[in-house]
Amino acid sequence: MSVLWPFGSDRKAAQSPQRPAICAALDLGSSKIACFISKTEETATGPRPRVIGVGHLPARGMRGGAIVDLDIARDTIREAVQRAEKMAGHAVSMATVTLTAGQIRSARIRAEASLSGREVGDRDLKRLLDAAIAEADAPDRVILHAFPIGWTVDESRGVRDPRGMYGRKLGVTVHVITAAAGPLRNLLHCIQACHLDLKGVVVTPYASGLAALTDDEIELGATLIDMGAGTTSAAVFDNGALIHVDTVPIGGAHVTNDVARGLSTPLVAAERIKILYGSALDSPDDDREMIEVPPLEGASDRMGSAPRSLLNAIIRPRLDETFEMIRDRLKEAGAHGPRDHQLILTGGAAQLPGAEEVASRVFGRRARLSRPHGVAGLGDAVSGPAFAAASGIILRETRGAAEAIAGPPRVAGSVRVTRPAPAESGPRAILRWFAESF
């Protein structure tokens, strides 16, 4: 059973009062702002989300997933939400949003407690989780997610649910994901300015992984790379758990900038040339195939030209750099994974021809491109890799969060983290999480 899906391998569960019939997801990226509104349908295999409203616009007021102009970002988010509401025929008052900015960090924390030979109870689990999570607290950072990724009872490792077992020592490893308070505070303020309540914040690579990976890939081990416009992020899954996330500030927009500089053409023309003709792979005809290149304003009145081989020679080094940075950071964190781990690409920039081949060469394993799945009602325009994060939030909201800590982080004068359930808190919320997770 995957830790990431708290309803078991068959995903059958009675309708929970905390699983909303209508939910909204906001993906706040560097190139687009997308809003999905979904409705939960009960099927023979369990709850299934169907997207009933979509609104997406080019991102304005955002850079690298962070707010850089509050007023412009607010207006863009409002318009995206309004378009989704109009299509869905439903107004939404709260949303779960993605987060890529904020210097996202992963930490795996080990905690142990003495049992003195007695039976493991719920109180022992809560006490140990609280002790591990407390070690990640910092005054300038906010805890977004906390995943128990492995329990031990004495010498027994890989324990999924230690309750009812007997031993001398209980241990747990918790994966804690934190973000800087400043960018998160700006994001929360922008959402509130849109007259929306924040239901939760989900780091982008985790959300994308929920939609782009299969259950077997999450269980057996996989590295997901989400290639956005301003950032590229990675999520490493193993034994049904998310064990590491990381982000580098390079994305598809940097490739476009390279093309604009290398060909001396405007950014709009560079983006079009990249999409229509760009590739990270060489072909025999590249030297002979000429591409029309619009000149920079004021530079010339004549249309220029360049061989396709020059365009590809500009694109390839930037992709090499991006994948090498991700690979090296994962190795440094001890999360690179064995060669038999699957390597999956998603995100808008991953659609560039040759990206899979470059990733395979850099990581030394086969890579594939993945689209979101498990969500019904996605039209052709929003079913591609660029919309994996929004789809992942919808799946998480429908099936239930797997984290020991979830929900809206409170970021004001001081940094605080709230537990998820509005009607439950403290031990009751933790006990409910364990009841649903195992």
Side-chain angles (χ1 to χ4, degrees), residues 15-372:
Q15 179 71 24
S16 166
Q18 294 188 357
R19 191 190 309 134
I22 300 289
C23 65
L26 270 174
D27 181 18
L28 307 181
S30 299
S31 65
K32 72 176 186 315
I33 291 177
C35 177
F36 282 9
I37 298 176
S38 74
K39 181 178 182 180
T40 301
E41 300 175 339
E42 291 297 332
T43 69
T45 58
R48 178 180 174 86
R50 174 174 292 277
V51 172
I52 57 176
V54 173
H56 61 96
L57 294 165
R60 295 183 299 130
M62 307 281 296
R63 181 177 299 161
I67 305 290
V68 295
D69 190 312
L70 180 62
D71 291 338
I72 294 177
R74 177 200 60 206
D75 292 343
T76 308
I77 293 171
R78 278 181 179 173
E79 186 174 350
V81 173
Q82 288 170 358
R83 290 187 180 188
E85 289 176 330
K86 184 176 181 180
M87 180 184 294
H90 285 275
V92 294
S93 59
M94 64 172 54
T96 302
V97 304
T98 60
L99 180 69
T100 305
Q103 304 166 12
I104 294 170
R105 295 179 189 167
S106 272
R108 279 164 287 186
I109 300 170
R110 178 73 181 168
E112 292 185 341
S114 175
L115 291 172
S116 303
R118 58 181 171 79
E119 179 183 358
V120 178
D122 292 312
R123 184 173 297 179
D124 298 308
L125 303 185
K126 180 190 179 301
R127 186 185 303 116
L128 200 55
L129 276 175
D130 286 345
I133 293 169
E135 292 188 30
D137 258 338
D140 59 343
R141 298 192 67 80
V142 179
I143 299 175
L144 298 178
H145 306 290
F147 300 88
I149 59 176
W151 296 89
T152 61
V153 178
D154 294 340
E155 303 302 321
S156 300
R157 299 186 177 275
V159 177
R160 290 294 180 94
D161 182 0
R163 290 176 297 177
M165 300 179 69
Y166 290 83
R168 300 182 306 277
K169 185 178 293 185
L170 175 67
V172 67
T173 301
V174 181
H175 175 207
V176 179
I177 302 174
T178 63
L184 184 58
R185 183 180 293 112
N186 293 331
L187 176 66
L188 304 188
H189 181 57
C190 186
I191 296 299
Q192 291 169 356
C194 295
H195 306 293
L196 287 171
D197 292 329
L198 185 70
K199 186 174 183 182
V201 176
V202 181
V203 293
T204 298
Y206 171 39
S208 296
L210 296 180
L213 300 180
T214 66
D215 288 351
D216 285 343
E217 286 169 338
I218 291 175
E219 189 68 33
L220 298 176
T223 298
L224 176 114
I225 300 179
D226 187 327
M227 304 180 69
T231 59
T232 298
S233 53
V236 182
F237 298 81
D238 195 29
N239 291 322
L242 176 66
I243 64 171
H244 188 76
V245 297
D246 209 339
T247 301
V248 296
I250 300 178
H254 295 80
V255 178
T256 301
N257 291 340
D258 291 345
V259 172
R261 292 190 182 98
L263 300 183
S264 298
T265 192
L267 285 170
V268 173
E271 179 70 13
R272 177 179 174 276
I273 290 171
K274 181 188 76 172
I275 293 173
L276 293 178
Y277 307 107
S279 175
L281 300 177
D282 293 323
S283 67
D285 297 329
D286 283 347
D287 287 329
R288 296 189 296 273
E289 184 177 350
M290 302 302 291
I291 300 170
E292 288 189 344
V293 180
L296 290 168
E297 185 177 354
S300 173
D301 294 332
R302 299 179 59 185
M303 183 74 71
S305 64
R308 189 176 180 183
S309 59
L310 175 59
L311 173 63
N312 295 345
I314 294 171
I315 291 173
R316 189 163 46 249
R318 181 63 81 172
L319 287 185
D320 282 333
E321 177 192 19
T322 303
F323 289 123
E324 286 168 1
M325 287 183 66
I326 288 288
R327 179 200 62 193
D328 293 345
R329 290 174 71 98
L330 293 182
K331 281 185 176 180
E332 184 179 353
H336 186 251
R339 290 178 63 89
D340 59 352
H341 266 209
Q342 297 293 310
L343 181 63
I344 290 88
L345 308 184
T346 195
Q351 298 174 92
L352 188 67
E356 297 167 70
E357 288 77 5
V358 174
S360 296
R361 174 170 51 79
V362 171
F363 280 83
R365 65 183 84 161
R366 185 174 176 273
R368 71 172 180 85
L369 180 67
S370 180
R371 297 171 173 267

Side-chain angles (χ1 to χ4, degrees), residues 407-427:
R410 292 183 181 176
V411 187
S414 60
V415 177
R416 293 194 303 149
V417 176
T418 59
R419 298 200 183 264
E424 298 176 322
S425 60

